Amino acid sequence: MSRFGKRLFSICILMLLGVLFGMQLAGSSFNRGDNSAGNPAVVKTEPVSPATESVPAPVVQQEDKEPPVVPVMSPSQVLGAEQSKAPVDVLADKTAGLLQNLSHKGMKWVVSLFSGVAE
């Protein structure tokens, strides 16, 4: 293989790896700069004026409440739950469908070529 061919092959491999890495990052839950959305440790508070601190709060009688009932989901419901797909997954599904259709049509074409020879 010539020197130019080796360079071209290596550049194509590096570009393919870059595209695959980018697709992996796009499919993951990668947040850009929004730390408050996914970090439960961040607490936002409002400043309290000194006038409201001196007034005692009225005593409120607390009632014993039962915790809310959480519905239990079966494994089939959990696995079958509607999940939003990443755009990369949608593109991959469409590409897979296109390639599958092309392969079926290609096989039919090859069979039709050889069926004419067999007759």
Side-chain angles (χ1 to χ4, degrees), residues 14-94:
L14 289 175
M15 286 177 55
L16 178 67
L17 289 174
V19 167
L20 291 175
F21 182 69
M23 289 173 63
Q24 185 69 27
L25 280 180
S28 66
S29 60
F30 182 69
N31 293 333
R32 290 183 284 162
D34 188 16
N35 293 334
S36 63
N39 190 356
V42 176
V43 178
K44 296 180 181 179
T45 59
E46 296 180 9
V48 179
S49 65
T52 58
E53 288 180 4
S54 62
V55 177
V59 179
V60 178
Q61 188 178 18
Q62 295 181 351
E63 297 178 12
D64 293 332
K65 293 184 180 179
E66 295 180 17
V69 177
V70 179
V72 178
M73 297 176 65
S74 68
S76 62
Q77 291 173 335
V78 171
L79 293 176
E82 183 63 33
Q83 300 169 352
S84 62
K85 286 188 170 183
V88 174
D89 292 338
V90 173
L91 180 64
D93 289 342
K94 288 182 180 180

Side-chain angles (χ1 to χ4, degrees), residues 75-117:
S76 62
Q77 291 173 335
V78 171
L79 293 176
E82 183 63 33
Q83 300 169 352
S84 62
K85 286 188 170 183
V88 174
D89 292 338
V90 173
L91 180 64
D93 289 342
K94 288 182 180 180
T95 305
L98 176 68
L99 290 174
Q100 193 172 19
N101 287 338
L102 286 175
S103 68
H104 285 300
K105 288 181 182 179
M107 283 188 260
K108 286 181 182 179
W109 180 73
V110 169
V111 168
S112 70
L113 282 177
F114 288 110
S115 67
V117 173

